[in-house]
Amino acid sequence: MRTRNRAVVAAMCAGLAATLAACGGGGGEKDPDAGTNGVGKLPATKIESRARQAAAGARSVRLSGSLVTSGATYKLDMRLKADGGTGQVSTKGSSFELLRVGKELYLKADAGFWSHDGESDGGGVGNAAGKLDDKYVKVPSGDPSYQRLSGFTDMKLLLDGLLGMHGKIATGDHGQVDGVRTINISAGKAGEGGSLDVSLEGRPYPLRLQRAGGAGVIRLADWNKGFKLTAPEKGHVLDYGQQIPETP
């Protein structure tokens, strides 16, 4: 009987030891890259390269957050793909929507946007602005604002410009962005050259970017999630009749 009891106890102990080993118990540390896509084990420069490759091969993305450029701060929430994009841009109390379908660019804003530079005209601009309130205006390709505004809807242009970091790149900590496991890479001293959180699940898409010099924080989500881009109906598109107002 005693021999049998000892055999049962020994079997239980062996099973417990195996369980602890599988769970990382017994003093060992769990591998933070276990069950991931493996990029967390790569050198920092290769992690950056894989992230840029994944982004370049994507069909669509949602880009949101803040962007500081030329002394102005923009808040963006854009859905982008190869042939256009749609979303909202805000800066210095001014907010407007952009829609680009192919080469056709449309702008929609409230009356304040259209009249902010024409308040002293005796009401002419103000009256016109009222008609343009919350209506789409087609931005002519020759308008000085076309290139700048269309840039907010250009997936390749934005990603190429945003994903670059400055300085020697080093690997940081494992973490999470919106519940997705990530590895952080950063450039320069204390990340002053920018940092990037790269997905450790599925393709190594960049999920969060902190731009160099504190020039904004951008989140990148909904990679490859399709959406439709449709030009507004003609009845909802009006002609501004002059140069589109400059935004900061």
Side-chain angles (χ1 to χ4, degrees), residues 144-211:
S145 295
Y146 180 91
Q147 194 68 27
R148 179 170 46 81
L149 292 173
S150 65
F152 288 116
T153 67
D154 191 320
M155 179 176 169
K156 184 178 186 306
L157 181 67
L158 279 174
L159 291 179
D160 285 349
L162 291 174
L163 293 180
M165 295 191 288
H166 308 287
K168 185 177 180 180
I169 303 173
T171 304
D173 296 331
H174 289 70
Q176 289 191 358
V177 174
D178 297 329
V180 178
R181 295 167 68 183
T182 59
I183 183 69
N184 178 267
I185 55 175
S186 61
K189 185 178 180 180
E192 62 188 14
S195 68
L196 192 64
D197 292 294
V198 179
S199 175
L200 290 176
E201 301 177 18
R203 296 208 67 189
Y205 290 117
L207 300 183
R208 180 171 56 200
L209 165 71
Q210 185 163 336
R211 298 187 71 214

Side-chain angles (χ1 to χ4, degrees), residues 9 14 27 35 38 43 56 71-72 89 100 125 132 147 160 168 207 219 231 243:
V9 171
V89 180
R100 182 173 64 83
V125 172
L132 294 170
Q147 194 68 27
D160 285 349
K168 185 177 180 180
L207 300 183
R219 285 181 177 262
Q243 183 176 316

Side-chain angles (χ1 to χ4, degrees), residues 7 15 34 61 69-70 72 93 101 105 109 120 144 216:
V61 66
T69 180
S70 300
V101 184
L105 177 65
S120 60

